[in-house]
Amino acid sequence: MTAAIESSHARGWTVEDLENLPDDGVRRELLDGVLLVSPSPTDIHQIIAMRLGVALEESCPDHLQVTQGVEIRLSSTRAFIPDVQVATDEAARRRGRFYTPDEIVLAVEIVSPSSLAMDRVTKPALYASAGIPHYWRIETAGGIVVHAHRLDSDSGVYRPVEIFDARIRTLEPWPIDIPIKRLTPRHLASGEGLHGDGQD
């Protein structure tokens, strides 16, 4: 469950405040100055993220870089950490602790029971307003389903591109062809299915 922690400062938390917190592996994000602390992700969540990252890396063009768990600073009071992201190679070469929105090509969030509203509503709205061109939302209740969205530059919001439940096959942000079974944790590949009630 994601918890919101209020700052002792009247102005709320900023990305500079995050720099002063211990590097203890705790996932901390900012939403308009409110510090959001999430529990450690489950093994299913992490396996899907790892497998997707590896699969994307296989076809990723040289000018892009696939990574996981790096902070994106949308503003001085907004910072999120996608489960998987694709950044420009120039951004990766900078070797910083965070990316800026213009350095991100694709942000991916894996939905868990504690992040339903954030991953389905809040994060895509703010990623879109920051200009991130592509957003994928991965649902795991009853099986892995990838919802791909592309930024509509005229409206500044994401438009659905496709829903993938058997194979991710798309030409954007580059030609990608990944069977969904490649993302499925080994112990669930027998057809037991995934569930959203505490499993992820």
Side-chain angles (χ1 to χ4, degrees):
M1 179 177 184
T2 302
I5 300 177
E6 302 216 1
S7 171
S8 58
H9 308 295
R11 61 180 168 76
W13 290 82
T14 68
V15 292
E16 286 76 20
D17 293 326
L18 294 181
E19 297 274 354
N20 298 320
L21 293 175
D23 189 7
D24 52 10
V26 175
R27 177 178 288 227
R28 298 180 179 93
E29 298 178 302
L30 285 182
L31 177 57
D32 296 334
V34 176
L35 181 64
L36 306 176
V37 180
S38 301
S40 297
T42 64
D43 60 343
I44 290 174
H45 184 284
Q46 292 300 81
I47 291 168
I48 293 171
M50 177 189 68
R51 289 185 170 218
L52 176 62
V54 169
L56 288 173
E57 180 66 27
E58 290 176 0
S59 63
C60 184
D62 291 342
H63 67 283
L64 299 175
Q65 186 88 10
V66 181
T67 186
Q68 291 177 265
V70 179
E71 176 188 322
I72 302 176
R73 293 191 174 175
L74 305 182
S75 72
S76 63
T77 59
R78 291 178 181 169
F80 294 130
I81 304 173
D83 294 309
V84 178
Q85 66 228 78
V86 178
T88 63
D89 190 55
E90 290 85 356
R93 290 175 186 276
R94 189 166 49 79
R95 298 187 181 183
R97 295 183 58 187
F98 64 89
Y99 293 133
T100 57
D102 61 297
E103 295 173 323
I104 300 296
V105 174
L106 168 66
V108 182
E109 297 287 358
I110 301 169
V111 177
S112 61
S114 64
S115 69
L116 293 176
M118 286 292 289
D119 295 338
R120 292 176 180 171
V121 181
T122 306
K123 285 188 176 182
L126 296 179
Y127 287 154
S129 67
I132 295 174
H134 298 276
Y135 176 70
W136 290 2
R137 187 184 81 246
I138 300 180
E139 300 278 352
T140 61
I144 297 174
V145 179
V146 179
H147 298 255
H149 297 81
R150 180 177 58 235
L151 182 64
D152 182 328
S153 57
D154 292 332
S155 64
V157 300
Y158 286 125
R159 301 296 184 195
V161 175
E162 186 122 20
I163 297 174
F164 305 105
D165 60 2
R167 192 175 204 98
I168 302 171
R169 185 172 283 161
T170 181
L171 296 177
E172 296 181 305
W174 68 86
I176 297 169
D177 188 356
I178 303 170
I180 292 294
K181 65 182 179 181
R182 281 200 61 186
L183 310 183
T184 306
R186 215 175 276 152
H187 65 286
L188 297 176
S190 61
E192 296 174 26
L194 299 169
H195 304 282
D197 50 356
Q199 290 287 326
D200 187 4

Tab-separated table of all heavy atoms in Angstrom, residues 46-83:
chain	number	residue	atom	x	y	z
A	46	GLN	N	8.310	-7.950	-9.800
A	46	GLN	CA	9.709	-7.791	-10.183
A	46	GLN	C	10.104	-8.699	-11.336
A	46	GLN	O	10.903	-8.321	-12.195
A	46	GLN	CB	10.615	-8.062	-8.972
A	46	GLN	CG	10.493	-7.018	-7.876
A	46	GLN	CD	10.855	-5.621	-8.354
A	46	GLN	OE1	10.031	-4.934	-8.967
A	46	GLN	NE2	12.072	-5.191	-8.088
A	47	ILE	N	9.558	-9.916	-11.360
A	47	ILE	CA	9.870	-10.840	-12.459
A	47	ILE	C	9.342	-10.296	-13.774
A	47	ILE	O	10.037	-10.316	-14.799
A	47	ILE	CB	9.295	-12.243	-12.168
A	47	ILE	CG1	10.057	-12.898	-11.006
A	47	ILE	CG2	9.378	-13.127	-13.414
A	47	ILE	CD1	9.393	-14.150	-10.467
A	48	ILE	N	8.117	-9.782	-13.767
A	48	ILE	CA	7.553	-9.211	-14.994
A	48	ILE	C	8.398	-8.022	-15.459
A	48	ILE	O	8.723	-7.904	-16.645
A	48	ILE	CB	6.096	-8.782	-14.778
A	48	ILE	CG1	5.206	-10.010	-14.543
A	48	ILE	CG2	5.578	-7.988	-15.985
A	48	ILE	CD1	3.789	-9.680	-14.119
A	49	ALA	N	8.768	-7.145	-14.527
A	49	ALA	CA	9.586	-5.983	-14.878
A	49	ALA	C	10.934	-6.415	-15.451
A	49	ALA	O	11.397	-5.876	-16.466
A	49	ALA	CB	9.778	-5.092	-13.667
A	50	MET	N	11.568	-7.394	-14.809
A	50	MET	CA	12.878	-7.864	-15.270
A	50	MET	C	12.774	-8.483	-16.656
A	50	MET	O	13.558	-8.178	-17.555
A	50	MET	CB	13.441	-8.884	-14.290
A	50	MET	CG	14.765	-9.495	-14.725
A	50	MET	SD	15.255	-10.883	-13.682
A	50	MET	CE	13.997	-12.103	-14.120
A	51	ARG	N	11.770	-9.348	-16.841
A	51	ARG	CA	11.626	-10.030	-18.126
A	51	ARG	C	11.285	-9.053	-19.248
A	51	ARG	O	11.780	-9.194	-20.371
A	51	ARG	CB	10.560	-11.123	-18.020
A	51	ARG	CG	11.018	-12.314	-17.192
A	51	ARG	CD	9.989	-13.425	-17.198
A	51	ARG	NE	10.554	-14.630	-16.595
A	51	ARG	CZ	10.320	-15.861	-17.012
A	51	ARG	NH1	9.514	-16.060	-18.038
A	51	ARG	NH2	10.871	-16.898	-16.422
A	52	LEU	N	10.446	-8.066	-18.942
A	52	LEU	CA	10.126	-7.074	-19.959
A	52	LEU	C	11.361	-6.271	-20.331
A	52	LEU	O	11.629	-6.022	-21.509
A	52	LEU	CB	9.019	-6.136	-19.470
A	52	LEU	CG	8.666	-5.000	-20.427
A	52	LEU	CD1	8.142	-5.542	-21.751
A	52	LEU	CD2	7.665	-4.053	-19.790
A	53	GLY	N	12.129	-5.867	-19.320
A	53	GLY	CA	13.339	-5.111	-19.589
A	53	GLY	C	14.309	-5.876	-20.478
A	53	GLY	O	14.865	-5.324	-21.431
A	54	VAL	N	14.507	-7.160	-20.188
A	54	VAL	CA	15.412	-7.992	-20.992
A	54	VAL	C	14.882	-8.127	-22.418
A	54	VAL	O	15.637	-8.008	-23.392
A	54	VAL	CB	15.581	-9.383	-20.340
A	54	VAL	CG1	16.300	-10.341	-21.286
A	54	VAL	CG2	16.351	-9.265	-19.034
A	55	ALA	N	13.569	-8.365	-22.547
A	55	ALA	CA	12.978	-8.532	-23.879
A	55	ALA	C	13.082	-7.253	-24.698
A	55	ALA	O	13.383	-7.294	-25.902
A	55	ALA	CB	11.525	-8.969	-23.747
A	56	LEU	N	12.843	-6.110	-24.078
A	56	LEU	CA	12.962	-4.832	-24.786
A	56	LEU	C	14.404	-4.563	-25.202
A	56	LEU	O	14.672	-4.049	-26.290
A	56	LEU	CB	12.452	-3.686	-23.909
A	56	LEU	CG	10.944	-3.603	-23.691
A	56	LEU	CD1	10.622	-2.520	-22.659
A	56	LEU	CD2	10.212	-3.315	-25.001
A	57	GLU	N	15.325	-4.912	-24.333
A	57	GLU	CA	16.738	-4.658	-24.600
A	57	GLU	C	17.214	-5.394	-25.849
A	57	GLU	O	18.084	-4.899	-26.579
A	57	GLU	CB	17.577	-5.085	-23.390
A	57	GLU	CG	19.060	-4.874	-23.526
A	57	GLU	CD	19.458	-3.408	-23.606
A	57	GLU	OE1	18.733	-2.556	-23.073
A	57	GLU	OE2	20.501	-3.115	-24.207
A	58	GLU	N	16.641	-6.543	-26.127
A	58	GLU	CA	17.075	-7.349	-27.272
A	58	GLU	C	16.886	-6.632	-28.600
A	58	GLU	O	17.645	-6.850	-29.540
A	58	GLU	CB	16.334	-8.687	-27.284
A	58	GLU	CG	16.753	-9.611	-26.165
A	58	GLU	CD	15.935	-10.895	-26.138
A	58	GLU	OE1	15.039	-11.062	-27.000
A	58	GLU	OE2	16.194	-11.735	-25.266
A	59	SER	N	15.850	-5.798	-28.702
A	59	SER	CA	15.589	-5.115	-29.970
A	59	SER	C	15.777	-3.608	-29.887
A	59	SER	O	15.579	-2.900	-30.875
A	59	SER	CB	14.157	-5.412	-30.445
A	59	SER	OG	13.206	-4.911	-29.509
A	60	CYS	N	16.155	-3.116	-28.721
A	60	CYS	CA	16.276	-1.673	-28.516
A	60	CYS	C	17.351	-1.066	-29.422
A	60	CYS	O	18.481	-1.553	-29.465
A	60	CYS	CB	16.623	-1.400	-27.051
A	60	CYS	SG	16.689	0.345	-26.630
A	61	PRO	N	17.029	-0.012	-30.157
A	61	PRO	CA	18.050	0.625	-31.007
A	61	PRO	C	19.149	1.282	-30.178
A	61	PRO	O	18.965	1.584	-29.003
A	61	PRO	CB	17.244	1.664	-31.798
A	61	PRO	CG	15.984	1.869	-31.023
A	61	PRO	CD	15.714	0.617	-30.281
A	62	ASP	N	20.281	1.509	-30.825
A	62	ASP	CA	21.470	1.993	-30.125
A	62	ASP	C	21.288	3.361	-29.486
A	62	ASP	O	21.981	3.684	-28.520
A	62	ASP	CB	22.667	2.049	-31.085
A	62	ASP	CG	23.135	0.662	-31.492
A	62	ASP	OD1	22.777	-0.317	-30.794
A	62	ASP	OD2	23.839	0.550	-32.514
A	63	HIS	N	20.393	4.182	-30.004
A	63	HIS	CA	20.245	5.529	-29.465
A	63	HIS	C	19.326	5.573	-28.241
A	63	HIS	O	19.072	6.645	-27.693
A	63	HIS	CB	19.726	6.486	-30.540
A	63	HIS	CG	18.326	6.203	-30.985
A	63	HIS	ND1	18.009	5.180	-31.848
A	63	HIS	CD2	17.156	6.807	-30.675
A	63	HIS	CE1	16.712	5.180	-32.064
A	63	HIS	NE2	16.157	6.153	-31.351
A	64	LEU	N	18.846	4.392	-27.802
A	64	LEU	CA	17.981	4.322	-26.631
A	64	LEU	C	18.552	3.347	-25.619
A	64	LEU	O	19.416	2.534	-25.933
A	64	LEU	CB	16.561	3.895	-27.031
A	64	LEU	CG	15.817	4.818	-27.991
A	64	LEU	CD1	14.491	4.203	-28.383
A	64	LEU	CD2	15.619	6.196	-27.376
A	65	GLN	N	18.056	3.422	-24.384
A	65	GLN	CA	18.559	2.593	-23.288
A	65	GLN	C	17.384	2.136	-22.427
A	65	GLN	O	16.566	2.948	-21.993
A	65	GLN	CB	19.524	3.423	-22.429
A	65	GLN	CG	20.233	2.648	-21.355
A	65	GLN	CD	21.522	2.020	-21.855
A	65	GLN	OE1	21.973	2.321	-22.942
A	65	GLN	NE2	22.099	1.148	-21.062
A	66	VAL	N	17.293	0.819	-22.189
A	66	VAL	CA	16.251	0.263	-21.328
A	66	VAL	C	16.786	0.170	-19.903
A	66	VAL	O	17.914	-0.286	-19.676
A	66	VAL	CB	15.833	-1.141	-21.806
A	66	VAL	CG1	14.725	-1.704	-20.908
A	66	VAL	CG2	15.371	-1.106	-23.254
A	67	THR	N	15.987	0.626	-18.952
A	67	THR	CA	16.420	0.550	-17.559
A	67	THR	C	15.210	0.372	-16.649
A	67	THR	O	14.074	0.346	-17.107
A	67	THR	CB	17.228	1.813	-17.166
A	67	THR	OG1	17.759	1.636	-15.850
A	67	THR	CG2	16.348	3.048	-17.184
A	68	GLN	N	15.464	0.233	-15.349
A	68	GLN	CA	14.400	0.027	-14.374
A	68	GLN	C	14.621	0.906	-13.157
A	68	GLN	O	15.761	1.142	-12.737
A	68	GLN	CB	14.380	-1.432	-13.900
A	68	GLN	CG	13.943	-2.445	-14.924
A	68	GLN	CD	14.022	-3.851	-14.360
A	68	GLN	OE1	15.005	-4.552	-14.552
A	68	GLN	NE2	12.986	-4.265	-13.658
A	69	GLY	N	13.520	1.368	-12.578
A	69	GLY	CA	13.554	1.986	-11.268
A	69	GLY	C	14.349	3.264	-11.132
A	69	GLY	O	14.839	3.565	-10.042
A	70	VAL	N	14.481	4.034	-12.225
A	70	VAL	CA	15.186	5.310	-12.135
A	70	VAL	C	14.146	6.434	-12.063
A	70	VAL	O	13.163	6.432	-12.795
A	70	VAL	CB	16.127	5.533	-13.335
A	70	VAL	CG1	16.832	6.886	-13.228
A	70	VAL	CG2	17.152	4.406	-13.415
A	71	GLU	N	14.381	7.375	-11.189
A	71	GLU	CA	13.444	8.476	-10.971
A	71	GLU	C	13.328	9.389	-12.190
A	71	GLU	O	14.324	9.700	-12.840
A	71	GLU	CB	13.933	9.288	-9.770
A	71	GLU	CG	13.145	10.535	-9.450
A	71	GLU	CD	13.833	11.357	-8.372
A	71	GLU	OE1	14.404	10.772	-7.424
A	71	GLU	OE2	13.803	12.588	-8.481
A	72	ILE	N	12.101	9.786	-12.491
A	72	ILE	CA	11.846	10.820	-13.491
A	72	ILE	C	11.353	12.055	-12.748
A	72	ILE	O	10.336	11.993	-12.054
A	72	ILE	CB	10.780	10.390	-14.516
A	72	ILE	CG1	11.190	9.110	-15.234
A	72	ILE	CG2	10.556	11.507	-15.534
A	72	ILE	CD1	10.117	8.588	-16.179
A	73	ARG	N	12.049	13.157	-12.877
A	73	ARG	CA	11.654	14.395	-12.210
A	73	ARG	C	10.798	15.212	-13.153
A	73	ARG	O	11.292	15.839	-14.089
A	73	ARG	CB	12.883	15.173	-11.763
A	73	ARG	CG	13.639	14.449	-10.665
A	73	ARG	CD	14.691	15.300	-10.011
A	73	ARG	NE	15.276	14.589	-8.882
A	73	ARG	CZ	16.294	15.028	-8.162
A	73	ARG	NH1	16.855	16.200	-8.457
A	73	ARG	NH2	16.761	14.324	-7.154
A	74	LEU	N	9.495	15.206	-12.895
A	74	LEU	CA	8.562	15.938	-13.739
A	74	LEU	C	8.573	17.426	-13.415
A	74	LEU	O	8.330	18.261	-14.282
A	74	LEU	CB	7.147	15.383	-13.566
A	74	LEU	CG	6.958	13.873	-13.802
A	74	LEU	CD1	5.499	13.507	-13.645
A	74	LEU	CD2	7.455	13.475	-15.179
A	75	SER	N	8.827	17.756	-12.149
A	75	SER	CA	8.922	19.145	-11.710
A	75	SER	C	9.633	19.146	-10.365
A	75	SER	O	10.073	18.100	-9.889
A	75	SER	CB	7.530	19.772	-11.580
A	75	SER	OG	6.849	19.251	-10.448
A	76	SER	N	9.710	20.295	-9.720
A	76	SER	CA	10.390	20.364	-8.420
A	76	SER	C	9.615	19.646	-7.326
A	76	SER	O	10.171	19.308	-6.284
A	76	SER	CB	10.619	21.822	-8.019
A	76	SER	OG	9.379	22.487	-7.853
A	77	THR	N	8.309	19.392	-7.549
A	77	THR	CA	7.486	18.727	-6.525
A	77	THR	C	6.826	17.452	-7.026
A	77	THR	O	5.967	16.893	-6.356
A	77	THR	CB	6.385	19.681	-6.016
A	77	THR	OG1	5.559	20.087	-7.122
A	77	THR	CG2	6.993	20.894	-5.328
A	78	ARG	N	7.231	17.006	-8.220
A	78	ARG	CA	6.685	15.764	-8.772
A	78	ARG	C	7.814	14.883	-9.267
A	78	ARG	O	8.627	15.323	-10.096
A	78	ARG	CB	5.734	16.041	-9.939
A	78	ARG	CG	4.435	16.702	-9.568
A	78	ARG	CD	3.593	16.970	-10.807
A	78	ARG	NE	2.337	17.632	-10.476
A	78	ARG	CZ	1.520	18.167	-11.375
A	78	ARG	NH1	1.826	18.109	-12.668
A	78	ARG	NH2	0.390	18.739	-10.985
A	79	ALA	N	7.870	13.657	-8.765
A	79	ALA	CA	8.891	12.702	-9.191
A	79	ALA	C	8.325	11.296	-9.076
A	79	ALA	O	7.815	10.917	-8.024
A	79	ALA	CB	10.148	12.840	-8.333
A	80	PHE	N	8.392	10.547	-10.162
A	80	PHE	CA	7.895	9.175	-10.175
A	80	PHE	C	8.998	8.223	-10.611
A	80	PHE	O	9.958	8.618	-11.282
A	80	PHE	CB	6.698	9.029	-11.118
A	80	PHE	CG	5.481	9.784	-10.666
A	80	PHE	CD1	4.805	10.617	-11.550
A	80	PHE	CD2	4.998	9.665	-9.378
A	80	PHE	CE1	3.678	11.311	-11.147
A	80	PHE	CE2	3.875	10.359	-8.962
A	80	PHE	CZ	3.205	11.183	-9.854
A	81	ILE	N	8.821	6.960	-10.247
A	81	ILE	CA	9.785	5.920	-10.608
A	81	ILE	C	9.046	4.815	-11.355
A	81	ILE	O	8.417	3.958	-10.740
A	81	ILE	CB	10.477	5.343	-9.359
A	81	ILE	CG1	11.152	6.454	-8.556
A	81	ILE	CG2	11.484	4.272	-9.753
A	81	ILE	CD1	11.723	5.987	-7.222
A	82	PRO	N	9.088	4.821	-12.691
A	82	PRO	CA	8.426	3.757	-13.445
A	82	PRO	C	9.071	2.401	-13.172
A	82	PRO	O	10.243	2.318	-12.792
A	82	PRO	CB	8.628	4.166	-14.904
A	82	PRO	CG	8.989	5.609	-14.860
A	82	PRO	CD	9.706	5.811	-13.569
A	83	ASP	N	8.296	1.351	-13.385
A	83	ASP	CA	8.843	0.005	-13.197
A	83	ASP	C	9.867	-0.330	-14.272
A	83	ASP	O	10.881	-0.967	-14.003
A	83	ASP	CB	7.702	-1.018	-13.200
A	83	ASP	CG	6.786	-0.823	-11.997
A	83	ASP	OD1	7.298	-0.764	-10.873
A	83	ASP	OD2	5.566	-0.713	-12.192
